[in-house]
């Protein structure tokens, strides 16, 4: 399973640049590795390998979800924090990444487990017909992380932040990426200041993660119907 997670870091930079460029103009019709853009999907961008058929898979795998913050996020967070006791530390970053990664994997597993459940396997070897879901969160940008300090501190924002899903559907035998999904989501901004803390941040993130998981499940159901 580690071989799938290891590839995510190298792909994230290139996909992130493509996603950012897509905010300003139409996404390219073909990805850097030859996948073709699929029009009119629920996700922001969906690329598929020409001729790929994911309807025949009977087993599925889900790798741990890796998480990467927006570039310079930690530095930018601490620029405005005069009180050293209230600074965001690398320990805070690691804690948030772990929690976000676990929540991401959990939501996709829950979606696959809904009735009628997909057959999810935990271990597989080359030669088995397993479609691997390889999720990652990139460009994570939390506006007001809840830093654990001894004092009382409250932060008010109009939005929790944003993050981008990078999800690849990979053939376990060939290690080929059959489908790549890139979807940027920002928490709803209502122009009213609200108290932002770990509870509200988690609720906002979970809402986006559940949406992504549901959209994937809906897509798989359509593809595999009648197979």
């Amino acid at each position: 399973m580690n071989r799938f997670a290891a590839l995510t870091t190298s792909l994230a930079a290139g996909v992130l640049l493509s996603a950012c460029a897509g905010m300003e103009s139409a996404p390219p019709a073909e990805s850097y590795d030859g996948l073709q853009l699929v029009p009119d999907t629920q996700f922001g961008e969906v690329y598929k390998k020409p001729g790929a058929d994911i309807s025949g898979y009977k087993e599925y795998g889900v790798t741990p979800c890796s998480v990467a913050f927006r570039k310079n996020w930690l530095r930018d967070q601490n620029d405005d924090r005069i009180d050293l006791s209230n600074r965001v530390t690398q320990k805070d970053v690691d804690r948030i990444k772990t929690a976000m990664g676990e929540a991401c994997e959990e939501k996709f597993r829950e979606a696959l487990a809904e009735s009628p459940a997909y057959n999810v396997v935990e271990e597989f070897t080359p030669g088995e017909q397993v479609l691997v879901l390889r999720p990652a969160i990139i460009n994570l940008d939390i506006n007001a992380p809840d830093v654990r300090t001894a004092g009382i501190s409250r932060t008010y924002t109009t939005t929790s932040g944003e993050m981008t899903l990078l999800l690849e559907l990979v053939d376990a035998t060939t290690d080929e990426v059959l489908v790549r999904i890139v979807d940027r989501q920002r928490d709803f901004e209502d122009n009213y200041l609200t108290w932002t803390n770990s509870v509200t941040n988690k609720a906002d993130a979970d809402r986006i993660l559940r949406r992504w998981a549901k959209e994937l499940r809906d897509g798989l159901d359509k593809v595999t119907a009648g197979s």
Side-chain angles (χ1 to χ4, degrees), residues 181-202:
I181 295 168
V182 182
D183 193 81
R184 174 179 178 255
Q185 289 292 326
R186 184 176 185 181
D187 176 51
F188 177 72
E189 186 169 1
D190 56 13
N191 295 320
Y192 290 96
L193 289 174
T194 56
W195 177 26
T196 306
N197 55 38
S198 60
V199 175
T200 58
N201 285 339
K202 184 179 186 305

PDB file of all heavy atoms in Angstrom, residues 181-202:
ATOM      1  N   ILE A 181      -9.065  12.809 -10.164  1.00  0.00           N
ATOM      2  CA  ILE A 181     -10.060  13.828  -9.807  1.00  0.00           C
ATOM      3  C   ILE A 181      -9.364  14.955  -9.058  1.00  0.00           C
ATOM      4  O   ILE A 181      -8.586  14.705  -8.128  1.00  0.00           O
ATOM      5  CB  ILE A 181     -11.167  13.220  -8.926  1.00  0.00           C
ATOM      6  CG1 ILE A 181     -11.962  12.169  -9.711  1.00  0.00           C
ATOM      7  CG2 ILE A 181     -12.099  14.303  -8.386  1.00  0.00           C
ATOM      8  CD1 ILE A 181     -12.872  11.316  -8.847  1.00  0.00           C
ATOM      9  N   VAL A 182      -9.630  16.173  -9.457  1.00  0.00           N
ATOM     10  CA  VAL A 182      -9.116  17.358  -8.755  1.00  0.00           C
ATOM     11  C   VAL A 182     -10.303  18.275  -8.483  1.00  0.00           C
ATOM     12  O   VAL A 182     -11.007  18.675  -9.406  1.00  0.00           O
ATOM     13  CB  VAL A 182      -8.056  18.101  -9.596  1.00  0.00           C
ATOM     14  CG1 VAL A 182      -7.518  19.311  -8.808  1.00  0.00           C
ATOM     15  CG2 VAL A 182      -6.922  17.182  -9.983  1.00  0.00           C
ATOM     16  N   ASP A 183     -10.536  18.577  -7.217  1.00  0.00           N
ATOM     17  CA  ASP A 183     -11.699  19.391  -6.876  1.00  0.00           C
ATOM     18  C   ASP A 183     -11.357  20.328  -5.715  1.00  0.00           C
ATOM     19  O   ASP A 183     -11.031  19.879  -4.623  1.00  0.00           O
ATOM     20  CB  ASP A 183     -12.890  18.508  -6.496  1.00  0.00           C
ATOM     21  CG  ASP A 183     -14.193  19.287  -6.446  1.00  0.00           C
ATOM     22  OD1 ASP A 183     -14.787  19.523  -7.512  1.00  0.00           O
ATOM     23  OD2 ASP A 183     -14.616  19.670  -5.335  1.00  0.00           O
ATOM     24  N   ARG A 184     -11.440  21.617  -5.970  1.00  0.00           N
ATOM     25  CA  ARG A 184     -11.153  22.634  -4.957  1.00  0.00           C
ATOM     26  C   ARG A 184     -12.447  23.069  -4.297  1.00  0.00           C
ATOM     27  O   ARG A 184     -13.426  23.391  -4.958  1.00  0.00           O
ATOM     28  CB  ARG A 184     -10.467  23.844  -5.602  1.00  0.00           C
ATOM     29  CG  ARG A 184     -10.253  25.039  -4.676  1.00  0.00           C
ATOM     30  CD  ARG A 184      -9.534  26.159  -5.426  1.00  0.00           C
ATOM     31  NE  ARG A 184      -9.355  27.346  -4.598  1.00  0.00           N
ATOM     32  CZ  ARG A 184     -10.059  28.454  -4.724  1.00  0.00           C
ATOM     33  NH1 ARG A 184     -11.003  28.532  -5.670  1.00  0.00           N
ATOM     34  NH2 ARG A 184      -9.835  29.494  -3.952  1.00  0.00           N
ATOM     35  N   GLN A 185     -12.458  23.059  -2.962  1.00  0.00           N
ATOM     36  CA  GLN A 185     -13.641  23.466  -2.223  1.00  0.00           C
ATOM     37  C   GLN A 185     -13.268  24.479  -1.140  1.00  0.00           C
ATOM     38  O   GLN A 185     -12.277  24.324  -0.439  1.00  0.00           O
ATOM     39  CB  GLN A 185     -14.318  22.253  -1.563  1.00  0.00           C
ATOM     40  CG  GLN A 185     -14.995  21.312  -2.538  1.00  0.00           C
ATOM     41  CD  GLN A 185     -16.206  21.943  -3.197  1.00  0.00           C
ATOM     42  OE1 GLN A 185     -16.914  22.740  -2.593  1.00  0.00           O
ATOM     43  NE2 GLN A 185     -16.445  21.587  -4.455  1.00  0.00           N
ATOM     44  N   ARG A 186     -14.096  25.512  -1.044  1.00  0.00           N
ATOM     45  CA  ARG A 186     -13.912  26.522  -0.012  1.00  0.00           C
ATOM     46  C   ARG A 186     -15.137  26.547   0.881  1.00  0.00           C
ATOM     47  O   ARG A 186     -16.267  26.434   0.384  1.00  0.00           O
ATOM     48  CB  ARG A 186     -13.713  27.899  -0.647  1.00  0.00           C
ATOM     49  CG  ARG A 186     -13.417  28.999   0.373  1.00  0.00           C
ATOM     50  CD  ARG A 186     -13.137  30.323  -0.306  1.00  0.00           C
ATOM     51  NE  ARG A 186     -12.748  31.332   0.645  1.00  0.00           N
ATOM     52  CZ  ARG A 186     -12.457  32.582   0.323  1.00  0.00           C
ATOM     53  NH1 ARG A 186     -12.510  32.951  -0.961  1.00  0.00           N
ATOM     54  NH2 ARG A 186     -12.097  33.456   1.241  1.00  0.00           N
ATOM     55  N   ASP A 187     -14.908  26.665   2.188  1.00  0.00           N
ATOM     56  CA  ASP A 187     -16.030  26.749   3.105  1.00  0.00           C
ATOM     57  C   ASP A 187     -16.889  27.964   2.769  1.00  0.00           C
ATOM     58  O   ASP A 187     -16.383  29.015   2.374  1.00  0.00           O
ATOM     59  CB  ASP A 187     -15.511  26.857   4.549  1.00  0.00           C
ATOM     60  CG  ASP A 187     -16.636  27.037   5.540  1.00  0.00           C
ATOM     61  OD1 ASP A 187     -17.591  26.250   5.491  1.00  0.00           O
ATOM     62  OD2 ASP A 187     -16.550  27.986   6.338  1.00  0.00           O
ATOM     63  N   PHE A 188     -18.175  27.821   2.906  1.00  0.00           N
ATOM     64  CA  PHE A 188     -19.113  28.883   2.580  1.00  0.00           C
ATOM     65  C   PHE A 188     -18.806  30.158   3.366  1.00  0.00           C
ATOM     66  O   PHE A 188     -18.640  30.142   4.577  1.00  0.00           O
ATOM     67  CB  PHE A 188     -20.538  28.430   2.885  1.00  0.00           C
ATOM     68  CG  PHE A 188     -21.573  29.489   2.640  1.00  0.00           C
ATOM     69  CD1 PHE A 188     -21.904  29.861   1.347  1.00  0.00           C
ATOM     70  CD2 PHE A 188     -22.208  30.117   3.698  1.00  0.00           C
ATOM     71  CE1 PHE A 188     -22.861  30.841   1.120  1.00  0.00           C
ATOM     72  CE2 PHE A 188     -23.161  31.094   3.475  1.00  0.00           C
ATOM     73  CZ  PHE A 188     -23.487  31.463   2.183  1.00  0.00           C
ATOM     74  N   GLU A 189     -18.726  31.271   2.661  1.00  0.00           N
ATOM     75  CA  GLU A 189     -18.445  32.573   3.283  1.00  0.00           C
ATOM     76  C   GLU A 189     -19.732  33.388   3.356  1.00  0.00           C
ATOM     77  O   GLU A 189     -20.333  33.717   2.323  1.00  0.00           O
ATOM     78  CB  GLU A 189     -17.391  33.332   2.477  1.00  0.00           C
ATOM     79  CG  GLU A 189     -16.949  34.624   3.159  1.00  0.00           C
ATOM     80  CD  GLU A 189     -15.720  35.231   2.484  1.00  0.00           C
ATOM     81  OE1 GLU A 189     -15.253  34.644   1.494  1.00  0.00           O
ATOM     82  OE2 GLU A 189     -15.247  36.265   2.958  1.00  0.00           O
ATOM     83  N   ASP A 190     -20.172  33.684   4.581  1.00  0.00           N
ATOM     84  CA  ASP A 190     -21.450  34.378   4.749  1.00  0.00           C
ATOM     85  C   ASP A 190     -21.296  35.853   5.130  1.00  0.00           C
ATOM     86  O   ASP A 190     -22.283  36.535   5.407  1.00  0.00           O
ATOM     87  CB  ASP A 190     -22.306  33.676   5.807  1.00  0.00           C
ATOM     88  CG  ASP A 190     -21.584  33.538   7.152  1.00  0.00           C
ATOM     89  OD1 ASP A 190     -20.538  34.204   7.335  1.00  0.00           O
ATOM     90  OD2 ASP A 190     -22.058  32.781   8.000  1.00  0.00           O
ATOM     91  N   ASN A 191     -20.040  36.349   5.152  1.00  0.00           N
ATOM     92  CA  ASN A 191     -19.757  37.759   5.450  1.00  0.00           C
ATOM     93  C   ASN A 191     -20.069  38.151   6.892  1.00  0.00           C
ATOM     94  O   ASN A 191     -20.048  39.328   7.232  1.00  0.00           O
ATOM     95  CB  ASN A 191     -20.520  38.692   4.496  1.00  0.00           C
ATOM     96  CG  ASN A 191     -20.057  38.531   3.056  1.00  0.00           C
ATOM     97  OD1 ASN A 191     -18.875  38.387   2.797  1.00  0.00           O
ATOM     98  ND2 ASN A 191     -21.010  38.540   2.128  1.00  0.00           N
ATOM     99  N   TYR A 192     -20.356  37.158   7.731  1.00  0.00           N
ATOM    100  CA  TYR A 192     -20.573  37.426   9.143  1.00  0.00           C
ATOM    101  C   TYR A 192     -19.473  36.763   9.952  1.00  0.00           C
ATOM    102  O   TYR A 192     -19.164  35.586   9.750  1.00  0.00           O
ATOM    103  CB  TYR A 192     -21.935  36.893   9.601  1.00  0.00           C
ATOM    104  CG  TYR A 192     -23.113  37.663   9.032  1.00  0.00           C
ATOM    105  CD1 TYR A 192     -23.773  37.211   7.896  1.00  0.00           C
ATOM    106  CD2 TYR A 192     -23.563  38.844   9.635  1.00  0.00           C
ATOM    107  CE1 TYR A 192     -24.845  37.907   7.359  1.00  0.00           C
ATOM    108  CE2 TYR A 192     -24.639  39.549   9.110  1.00  0.00           C
ATOM    109  CZ  TYR A 192     -25.276  39.077   7.980  1.00  0.00           C
ATOM    110  OH  TYR A 192     -26.335  39.771   7.453  1.00  0.00           O
ATOM    111  N   LEU A 193     -18.879  37.513  10.867  1.00  0.00           N
ATOM    112  CA  LEU A 193     -17.822  36.960  11.687  1.00  0.00           C
ATOM    113  C   LEU A 193     -18.396  35.941  12.668  1.00  0.00           C
ATOM    114  O   LEU A 193     -19.378  36.212  13.356  1.00  0.00           O
ATOM    115  CB  LEU A 193     -17.110  38.070  12.461  1.00  0.00           C
ATOM    116  CG  LEU A 193     -16.223  39.009  11.634  1.00  0.00           C
ATOM    117  CD1 LEU A 193     -15.699  40.136  12.502  1.00  0.00           C
ATOM    118  CD2 LEU A 193     -15.065  38.244  11.005  1.00  0.00           C
ATOM    119  N   THR A 194     -17.782  34.763  12.698  1.00  0.00           N
ATOM    120  CA  THR A 194     -18.187  33.738  13.652  1.00  0.00           C
ATOM    121  C   THR A 194     -16.953  33.187  14.347  1.00  0.00           C
ATOM    122  O   THR A 194     -15.852  33.214  13.807  1.00  0.00           O
ATOM    123  CB  THR A 194     -18.926  32.580  12.951  1.00  0.00           C
ATOM    124  OG1 THR A 194     -18.086  32.048  11.917  1.00  0.00           O
ATOM    125  CG2 THR A 194     -20.233  33.061  12.335  1.00  0.00           C
ATOM    126  N   TRP A 195     -17.158  32.698  15.553  1.00  0.00           N
ATOM    127  CA  TRP A 195     -16.055  32.148  16.332  1.00  0.00           C
ATOM    128  C   TRP A 195     -15.592  30.843  15.678  1.00  0.00           C
ATOM    129  O   TRP A 195     -16.363  29.917  15.482  1.00  0.00           O
ATOM    130  CB  TRP A 195     -16.513  31.900  17.764  1.00  0.00           C
ATOM    131  CG  TRP A 195     -15.466  31.268  18.637  1.00  0.00           C
ATOM    132  CD1 TRP A 195     -14.118  31.332  18.495  1.00  0.00           C
ATOM    133  CD2 TRP A 195     -15.712  30.478  19.799  1.00  0.00           C
ATOM    134  NE1 TRP A 195     -13.484  30.649  19.497  1.00  0.00           N
ATOM    135  CE2 TRP A 195     -14.438  30.108  20.317  1.00  0.00           C
ATOM    136  CE3 TRP A 195     -16.860  30.063  20.468  1.00  0.00           C
ATOM    137  CZ2 TRP A 195     -14.308  29.328  21.450  1.00  0.00           C
ATOM    138  CZ3 TRP A 195     -16.725  29.281  21.604  1.00  0.00           C
ATOM    139  CH2 TRP A 195     -15.460  28.914  22.091  1.00  0.00           C
ATOM    140  N   THR A 196     -14.306  30.788  15.307  1.00  0.00           N
ATOM    141  CA  THR A 196     -13.736  29.627  14.647  1.00  0.00           C
ATOM    142  C   THR A 196     -12.832  28.882  15.617  1.00  0.00           C
ATOM    143  O   THR A 196     -11.932  29.473  16.214  1.00  0.00           O
ATOM    144  CB  THR A 196     -12.917  30.056  13.413  1.00  0.00           C
ATOM    145  OG1 THR A 196     -13.739  30.858  12.568  1.00  0.00           O
ATOM    146  CG2 THR A 196     -12.455  28.845  12.628  1.00  0.00           C
ATOM    147  N   ASN A 197     -13.085  27.587  15.777  1.00  0.00           N
ATOM    148  CA  ASN A 197     -12.252  26.767  16.654  1.00  0.00           C
ATOM    149  C   ASN A 197     -12.150  25.364  16.073  1.00  0.00           C
ATOM    150  O   ASN A 197     -12.603  25.105  14.956  1.00  0.00           O
ATOM    151  CB  ASN A 197     -12.831  26.737  18.077  1.00  0.00           C
ATOM    152  CG  ASN A 197     -14.284  26.281  18.096  1.00  0.00           C
ATOM    153  OD1 ASN A 197     -14.669  25.397  17.339  1.00  0.00           O
ATOM    154  ND2 ASN A 197     -15.089  26.899  18.949  1.00  0.00           N
ATOM    155  N   SER A 198     -11.561  24.445  16.827  1.00  0.00           N
ATOM    156  CA  SER A 198     -11.349  23.099  16.307  1.00  0.00           C
ATOM    157  C   SER A 198     -12.660  22.397  15.984  1.00  0.00           C
ATOM    158  O   SER A 198     -12.740  21.598  15.035  1.00  0.00           O
ATOM    159  CB  SER A 198     -10.541  22.266  17.315  1.00  0.00           C
ATOM    160  OG  SER A 198     -11.223  22.174  18.551  1.00  0.00           O
ATOM    161  N   VAL A 199     -13.703  22.696  16.753  1.00  0.00           N
ATOM    162  CA  VAL A 199     -15.001  22.057  16.527  1.00  0.00           C
ATOM    163  C   VAL A 199     -15.632  22.541  15.222  1.00  0.00           C
ATOM    164  O   VAL A 199     -16.086  21.746  14.397  1.00  0.00           O
ATOM    165  CB  VAL A 199     -15.952  22.311  17.710  1.00  0.00           C
ATOM    166  CG1 VAL A 199     -17.337  21.740  17.424  1.00  0.00           C
ATOM    167  CG2 VAL A 199     -15.385  21.712  18.989  1.00  0.00           C
ATOM    168  N   THR A 200     -15.639  23.860  15.016  1.00  0.00           N
ATOM    169  CA  THR A 200     -16.232  24.398  13.786  1.00  0.00           C
ATOM    170  C   THR A 200     -15.381  24.058  12.571  1.00  0.00           C
ATOM    171  O   THR A 200     -15.915  23.771  11.498  1.00  0.00           O
ATOM    172  CB  THR A 200     -16.394  25.928  13.889  1.00  0.00           C
ATOM    173  OG1 THR A 200     -15.112  26.531  14.134  1.00  0.00           O
ATOM    174  CG2 THR A 200     -17.337  26.297  15.023  1.00  0.00           C
ATOM    175  N   ASN A 201     -14.063  24.082  12.732  1.00  0.00           N
ATOM    176  CA  ASN A 201     -13.186  23.703  11.619  1.00  0.00           C
ATOM    177  C   ASN A 201     -13.433  22.260  11.190  1.00  0.00           C
ATOM    178  O   ASN A 201     -13.506  21.952   9.996  1.00  0.00           O
ATOM    179  CB  ASN A 201     -11.714  23.867  12.007  1.00  0.00           C
ATOM    180  CG  ASN A 201     -11.273  25.318  12.030  1.00  0.00           C
ATOM    181  OD1 ASN A 201     -11.901  26.171  11.417  1.00  0.00           O
ATOM    182  ND2 ASN A 201     -10.200  25.598  12.739  1.00  0.00           N
ATOM    183  N   LYS A 202     -13.565  21.361  12.176  1.00  0.00           N
ATOM    184  CA  LYS A 202     -13.796  19.947  11.871  1.00  0.00           C
ATOM    185  C   LYS A 202     -15.157  19.756  11.201  1.00  0.00           C
ATOM    186  O   LYS A 202     -15.286  18.972  10.243  1.00  0.00           O
ATOM    187  CB  LYS A 202     -13.727  19.097  13.135  1.00  0.00           C
ATOM    188  CG  LYS A 202     -13.865  17.597  12.871  1.00  0.00           C
ATOM    189  CD  LYS A 202     -13.757  16.792  14.147  1.00  0.00           C
ATOM    190  CE  LYS A 202     -13.744  15.299  13.834  1.00  0.00           C
ATOM    191  NZ  LYS A 202     -14.902  14.860  13.037  1.00  0.00           N
TER     192      LYS A 202
END
